[in-house]
Amino acid sequence: MVRGIGKYLVNLPAVTGRRLVIALPLIWLAVFFFLPLVETLQVSFTSPRRGIPPYEPLWGIGDDGFFTNFTTGNYALLLQYWSDYFGPAFNSIKLAFFSTLVCLLFAYPMAWWIARSNEKWRTILLVLVMLPFWTSSLLRIYALIGLLNPNGFINAAGLWLGLIDAPIQMMQTDFSIYMGMVLTYLPLMILPLYAVMVRLDADLLDAAADLGGSGIQIFRTIILPLTLPGIIAGSLLVFIPAVGEFVIPALLGGPDQLMMGKVLWTEFFRNRDWPVASAIAMLLLAILTVPIIYARYQDGRDAVAETPNPKQAEAG
Amino acid sequence: MGRMNGLVLSLGALGFGILYLPIIIMVIFSFNAGKLVSVWSGASLKWYAGLLENDQLLSAFGTSLLIAVWAATIATIFGICIAVAFVRFGNFRSRLALSAIASAPLVMPEIVTGLSMLLLFISMESLFGWPSGRGVDTIIIAHATFGMCFAAVVIQARLRDFDMAIEEAAADLGATQPFIFLSITLPVIAPAVVAAWLLAFTLSFDDLVIASFVSGPGSSTLPIVIFSKVRLGVTPEINALATVMIVVVAVAVIGASWAIRRRLSSRDQNQ
């Protein structure tokens, strides 16, 4: 069959083929990624109504000619109920920020350990990092619930060992959310850190140690600056999705642990207020604009600076 | 540096512990006769047997499989196009537009992607009458859309390392571009294409948020069903299901990395 397709393609003029290769994904993404965002922006300026769909058209041509239903009411609502919406927005940023820090705290030594192991152990440890990444994050969070529940494994073990007298409330706290974030995003932090650490020249560290540098000195003056690109890349990979996270606050957080994703979900599915949900989506995008643009800028720099390494590409 | 190594090792071990302890406990207790994930009341396979009789979970599994296969296939084909355009076509006119639009989905919050896709499908339906309602087809489109961007990243990395001399030689000998691509380039980048397909498949198979927005009645995917069950409390059948899925993924990942290692070492020996 491949040969049949091949014969057909061979007869296509090369230029048409080239255009097609560019146009196909460009058109698909314009229609199914860019247009939806434009539509969301439009809906965020309309008012809700009873019916299907549950919002007024932003503009159109009716019996009286051209009409618009433009309103900034949804954004005004976000401002008016400051505590209801900006609380979650602030909370999202706070939880995402500290989740990133906690991920870094564990990922840095893990990546260092992997990068400094011999080749056999390096493969084993990398597979151990990648394995959870390929399994369903929903199921891993479900597994965490089994661990943290009041009648879950940790409390049962603690009671049995006599370490605690009564079950500790771990679910529906900031702690359970941080655990969920670490569980979900740790591999995303480890991989870029590993990538910079494995290229770090060991002779440099030996030389510094020979010259009498203490552990902390070597870390601060050599290791930290050289691994900074990995820290930045990993932090962005964790922070950006963590801000918009829905599943973790929904399953592990309590009613007080509101995050933007959860508020958007509630407005959409429970209150059926699609215009406000759209306005929240736009607010979320506005919050993420700076880190997203920064991430793209970093990406562009890396693409220029990085010389391709065949073995790494194979593994990826 | 002895003390630092101790700190590094203990924090690292703790990190691996956080990643694996929940999974290990869940796997063990999936064989528990009782309902709790804390009190062992004898070994049993009853939750696995219950899984086979749970029509809701089984049909959701089938739906997810169907969606993931289609979405991954579309995503891989378009991902190859994006990667080829970036690596091979130099500075074409729409390069900046394509690079912006192909990388934005990588960092877009799922909840925004899901909501906006739904809004698009609804306004398309009222304008063109397509897609009529939401279902398997709209989920496939949504998953293929973000999947292709991830697929493109994976394939691009491999394509960059590709030795252009082979293609140039083929072109000098009179082969046309499409023929060169199908007979030389594609076989060489095949491992990356497979990896891209698997990544797109996994992303689709695991997705809860986007599917929740763009699914319709009768097209509940496995994550949607799992999520609604988990919200209601601990259901031991999910332990069994998760164990099955984790074992399948573990075998696949370990097998794949073993194969890559073997290929690499045999290549090193040949050189």
Side-chain angles (χ1 to χ4, degrees):
Chain A
M1 201 185 88
V2 171
R3 209 183 236 180
I5 298 169
K7 253 185 199 158
Y8 170 69
L9 282 175
V10 166
N11 293 330
L12 273 174
V15 179
T16 318
R18 237 178 95 121
R19 274 201 193 137
L20 212 62
V21 167
I22 298 170
L24 274 177
L26 193 60
I27 291 170
W28 178 294
L29 287 168
V31 172
F32 292 116
F33 181 73
F34 185 68
L35 268 189
L37 291 179
V38 175
E39 178 65 17
T40 311
L41 184 66
Q42 287 199 39
V43 173
S44 76
F45 286 111
T46 66
S47 33
R49 68 166 185 200
R50 282 181 183 279
I52 300 170
Y55 54 87
E56 303 280 353
L58 184 62
W59 50 272
I61 295 160
D63 300 332
D64 310 321
F66 186 80
F67 68 89
T68 57
N69 283 317
F70 184 86
T71 168
T72 52
N74 303 307
Y75 293 96
L77 205 70
L78 295 189
L79 275 176
Q80 191 187 342
Y81 295 95
W82 173 270
S83 54
D84 285 357
Y85 295 106
F86 282 79
F90 177 73
N91 209 29
S92 296
I93 296 170
K94 189 194 85 183
L95 287 172
F97 178 78
F98 285 111
S99 301
T100 309
L101 278 189
V102 179
C103 279
L104 189 62
L105 177 73
F106 289 111
Y108 204 88
M110 285 169 88
W112 185 257
W113 184 3
I114 300 169
R116 298 289 125 191
S117 298
N118 61 33
E119 205 182 329
K120 185 183 150 206
W121 270 103
R122 194 183 287 175
T123 314
I124 294 173
L125 292 175
L126 270 180
V127 168
L128 279 178
V129 169
M130 290 303 289
L131 200 59
F133 190 67
W134 287 91
T135 58
S136 159
S137 61
L138 182 61
L139 288 176
R140 280 186 288 144
I141 289 165
Y142 170 72
L144 185 63
I145 296 175
L147 219 60
L148 300 181
N149 252 345
N151 57 5
F153 181 78
I154 291 180
N155 274 318
L159 287 171
W160 187 73
L161 291 171
L163 294 173
I164 49 175
D165 300 326
I168 311 168
Q169 174 69 33
M170 286 178 287
M171 279 294 290
Q172 311 200 336
T173 62
D174 281 359
F175 173 73
S176 56
I177 290 187
Y178 287 129
M179 286 294 287
M181 293 277 202
V182 171
L183 196 66
T184 308
Y185 294 115
L186 196 56
L188 289 179
M189 183 68 97
I190 295 174
L191 294 176
L193 281 174
Y194 164 77
V196 291
M197 285 174 180
V198 81
R199 277 180 294 182
L200 199 106
D201 194 352
D203 292 345
L204 219 57
L205 306 180
D206 291 342
D210 286 347
L211 292 170
S214 71
I216 290 168
Q217 250 179 336
I218 294 174
F219 175 75
R220 223 192 45 205
T221 56
I222 300 175
I223 302 178
L224 194 60
L226 286 177
T227 53
L228 196 62
I231 296 176
I232 294 171
S235 300
L236 288 167
L237 281 178
V238 174
F239 181 80
I240 293 171
V243 172
E245 181 61 49
F246 163 72
V247 179
I248 293 171
L251 289 181
L252 297 170
D256 300 333
Q257 269 83 30
L258 285 175
M259 288 180 76
M260 294 282 278
K262 203 165 132 185
V263 174
L264 196 164
W265 182 281
T266 312
E267 288 294 349
F268 183 86
F269 286 104
R270 292 252 178 82
N271 303 349
R272 279 189 71 80
D273 194 334
W274 294 17
V276 163
S278 302
I280 296 172
M282 287 298 129
L283 179 66
L284 188 54
L285 277 192
I287 291 174
L288 286 177
T289 305
V290 174
I292 285 176
I293 289 176
Y294 185 67
R296 266 193 59 73
Y297 165 76
Q298 283 287 327
D299 254 17
R301 264 190 2 178
D302 287 354
V304 176
E306 223 167 77
T307 42
N309 176 343
K311 234 176 196 173
Q312 241 174 1
E314 193 86 20
Chain B
M1 300 246 297
R3 218 177 35 164
M4 258 219 8
N5 276 334
L7 184 69
V8 166
L9 276 180
S10 45
L11 270 177
L14 195 58
F16 279 111
I18 293 175
L19 279 182
Y20 279 94
L21 188 66
I23 298 177
I24 292 168
I25 299 295
M26 180 176 65
V27 169
I28 292 172
F29 279 92
S30 72
F31 298 103
N32 188 9
K35 266 195 135 195
L36 289 172
V37 199
S38 49
V39 185
W40 184 259
S41 31
S44 160
L45 285 174
K46 70 178 183 189
W47 305 119
Y48 289 87
L51 201 59
L52 290 175
E53 285 160 17
N54 192 324
D55 290 335
Q56 190 195 13
L57 277 177
L58 286 181
S59 89
F61 179 81
T63 310
S64 276
L65 204 62
L66 175 77
I67 290 170
V69 166
W70 274 106
T73 307
I74 298 171
T76 307
I77 293 169
F78 280 80
I80 292 173
C81 290
I82 298 170
V84 166
F86 280 145
V87 179
R88 288 298 150 80
F89 290 177
N91 264 324
F92 52 93
R93 233 185 317 158
S94 46
R95 189 185 174 98
L96 194 67
L98 187 61
S99 99
I101 209 172
S103 58
L106 299 173
V107 289
M108 189 64 57
E110 289 171 314
I111 201 144
V112 176
T113 311
L115 172 69
S116 59
M117 285 249 177
L118 173 69
L119 294 178
L120 176 87
F121 288 139
I122 284 174
S123 67
M124 277 175 96
E125 188 184 7
S126 70
L127 283 175
F128 317 116
W130 181 91
S132 56
R134 263 77 54 209
V136 170
D137 49 350
T138 47
I139 305 178
I140 291 174
I141 291 173
H143 285 177
T145 303
F146 71 85
M148 71 179 62
C149 304
F150 286 91
V153 172
V154 174
I155 296 167
Q156 238 172 293
R158 184 76 188 91
L159 210 53
R160 274 214 189 90
D161 299 335
F162 185 77
D163 188 1
M164 285 285 279
I166 309 173
E167 284 189 5
E168 280 158 13
D172 287 346
L173 293 170
T176 58
Q177 283 302 327
F179 181 78
I180 294 172
F181 183 78
L182 288 176
S183 59
I184 298 174
T185 317
L186 202 55
V188 174
I189 63 166
V193 171
V194 173
W197 191 90
L198 287 173
L199 181 62
F201 178 93
T202 311
L203 288 171
S204 164
F205 200 79
D206 290 347
D207 168 65
L208 164 73
V209 175
I210 295 172
S212 299
F213 280 97
V214 296
S215 71
S219 63
S220 289
T221 62
L222 192 56
I224 293 178
V225 173
I226 292 174
F227 182 71
S228 64
K229 278 187 178 299
V230 170
R231 273 205 150 168
L232 296 176
V234 174
T235 31
E237 277 169 16
I238 303 286
N239 290 334
L241 176 74
T243 303
V244 171
M245 283 169 66
I246 285 163
V247 167
V248 170
V249 170
V251 169
V253 169
I254 292 170
S257 42
W258 180 75
I260 289 172
R261 225 173 109 84
R262 231 179 57 141
R263 241 174 61 108
L264 278 179
S265 60
S266 73
R267 205 172 63 177
D268 289 348
Q269 273 166 16
N270 289 340
Q271 280 169 356

